[in-house]
Amino acid sequence: MKILLRLWDRDNILWVVLFGILLLMILPGWNSFPYPGNGQPYSDYATTHYPYAKFLIDSIKQTGEIPLWSNQIYSGMPFFANPQAGIWYPLYWIGYLFPLPLGFTVVSSVHLLIGLIGVRKLLERLEIIGLPALVSAAAFLLMPKLWAHFGGGHLTLFCGVVWLPWLLYLSQLAKRKWYWAWGQPGLILALIFLVASQWVIYAGALWVAWVLLLGKETFWRRILTIPGQVVLSLLLSAPLLLPMLEFVGYSSRQNISLADRLYLSLPWENLMGLTLPTWNPGAEWVIYPGAGVLL
């Protein structure tokens, strides 16, 4: 009874309401593909994640094995080493228990809950509670940048970003006790890499700065913990990292020109989007943090 009363006190009810608002962002298209708002008739959900998931499920049903190679595009491509296939990310498999694309909605909902709990744990650790914590969580999980990528169908990036609060929170635990085995920042770094390899660079840089500036231990001990956590994350990421590095050497993208590499880079005039929302841009060009953050 005490647990139920604690769960449904006013503060917790507000957090449940916030989670409900987050679900409302994705439930209108619960069994379809979310499309971007810039007039494109498709998103990465339809062109990448759905075909990969269907190919994986069909291969397991037919052969009982996870395919190493996909023959679905041109002459074929590595599937086992493709980070967007999500083979090595454990929570991605939750979506395969449901019909697609409903499974993608389930995966997104689970990660919103993970992000919400992570933000709350981090803020409580920083002694930020009540309304300030609620507003901070809303600012993070409702930021337009995150939902622009969701609308663009960037499911892996969407799932990777919400692990950031957990990465910072676990770095604040001076004594991990039962967290020692599972509460390692290196584990979270590995999860981020396995679901969104491009995001791990930015999350890792922020984590290093966080540890050095705000860690609970002595400065030199903080420095010494970083290599150990990096090694742990590399070991846990090895099933995807090693084959991916092997195939990168065969990629034709190594030979593209600088102009081609910068094709989707943010135009300087779009920096105004940091303070003023821009309508119908590409997901990669959205940098607006939201009115709540600015206020």
Side-chain angles (χ1 to χ4, degrees):
M1 182 61 69
K2 291 182 178 179
I3 295 177
L4 292 176
L5 291 175
R6 183 181 177 185
L7 180 63
W8 291 106
D9 65 20
R10 185 184 66 176
D11 190 43
N12 286 328
I13 287 177
L14 291 176
W15 284 88
V16 172
V17 170
L18 175 57
F19 182 62
I21 294 173
L22 293 170
L23 290 181
L24 288 177
M25 301 284 287
I26 60 176
L27 288 184
W30 63 276
N31 198 26
S32 62
F33 300 112
Y35 294 111
N38 57 353
Q40 297 182 10
Y42 54 83
S43 73
D44 283 8
Y45 266 73
T47 62
T48 301
H49 298 297
Y50 180 77
Y52 286 174
K54 189 175 187 306
F55 175 70
L56 175 61
I57 294 172
D58 290 346
S59 297
I60 293 176
K61 287 180 178 179
Q62 294 170 9
T63 67
E65 299 177 350
I66 296 176
L68 301 179
W69 187 265
S70 170
N71 59 358
Q72 302 296 302
I73 299 178
Y74 301 119
S75 298
M77 65 175 184
F79 190 77
F80 196 73
N82 190 334
Q84 297 218 0
I87 294 175
W88 292 104
Y89 181 60
L91 296 185
Y92 215 67
W93 288 81
I94 296 176
Y96 300 149
L97 301 177
F98 301 85
L100 298 175
L102 171 62
F104 297 143
T105 302
V106 175
V107 170
S108 302
S109 302
V110 168
H111 282 81
L112 285 175
L113 181 60
I114 290 173
L116 187 68
I117 296 174
V119 172
R120 186 169 187 180
K121 298 285 286 186
L122 173 63
L123 294 173
E124 287 178 349
R125 188 67 183 176
L126 298 175
E127 299 180 354
I128 301 173
I129 59 176
L131 185 60
L134 189 69
V135 172
S136 299
F140 173 66
L141 292 170
L142 290 171
M143 61 179 170
K145 175 66 173 174
L146 180 64
W147 289 96
H149 284 290
F150 179 81
H154 305 160
L155 177 63
T156 53
L157 185 59
F158 182 84
C159 294
V161 168
V162 299
W163 282 108
L164 180 61
W166 283 101
L167 179 63
L168 304 182
Y169 165 67
L170 294 178
S171 301
Q172 290 294 107
L173 295 179
K175 295 182 179 179
R176 296 191 176 91
K177 297 182 181 179
W178 66 271
Y179 281 102
W180 192 90
W182 298 100
Q184 301 289 337
L187 172 62
I188 305 301
L189 279 173
L191 287 173
I192 293 175
F193 176 81
L194 293 175
V195 68
S197 55
Q198 71 274 42
W199 169 240
V200 76
I201 298 174
Y202 305 98
L206 179 58
W207 167 70
V208 170
W210 182 276
V211 170
L212 295 179
L213 296 176
L214 297 174
K216 292 291 185 181
E217 299 167 328
T218 62
F219 181 74
W220 288 109
R221 189 170 180 179
R222 278 178 270 162
I223 292 179
L224 293 176
T225 61
I226 293 175
Q229 296 298 330
V230 171
V231 170
L232 174 63
S233 67
L234 290 175
L235 291 174
L236 294 174
S237 304
L240 172 63
L241 178 62
L242 294 180
M244 190 174 73
L245 290 177
E246 180 180 352
F247 282 105
V248 162
Y250 297 97
S251 173
S252 59
R253 288 195 176 191
Q254 291 189 111
N255 302 319
I256 64 177
S257 65
L258 180 62
D260 289 332
R261 293 182 184 184
L262 298 177
Y263 175 67
L264 287 177
S265 60
L266 184 72
W268 67 269
E269 62 269 18
N270 282 41
L271 291 176
M272 287 295 296
L274 189 61
T275 55
L276 298 172
T278 52
W279 301 105
N280 295 328
E284 290 84 359
W285 290 358
V286 175
I287 58 175
Y288 185 61
V293 173
L294 295 178
L295 290 175

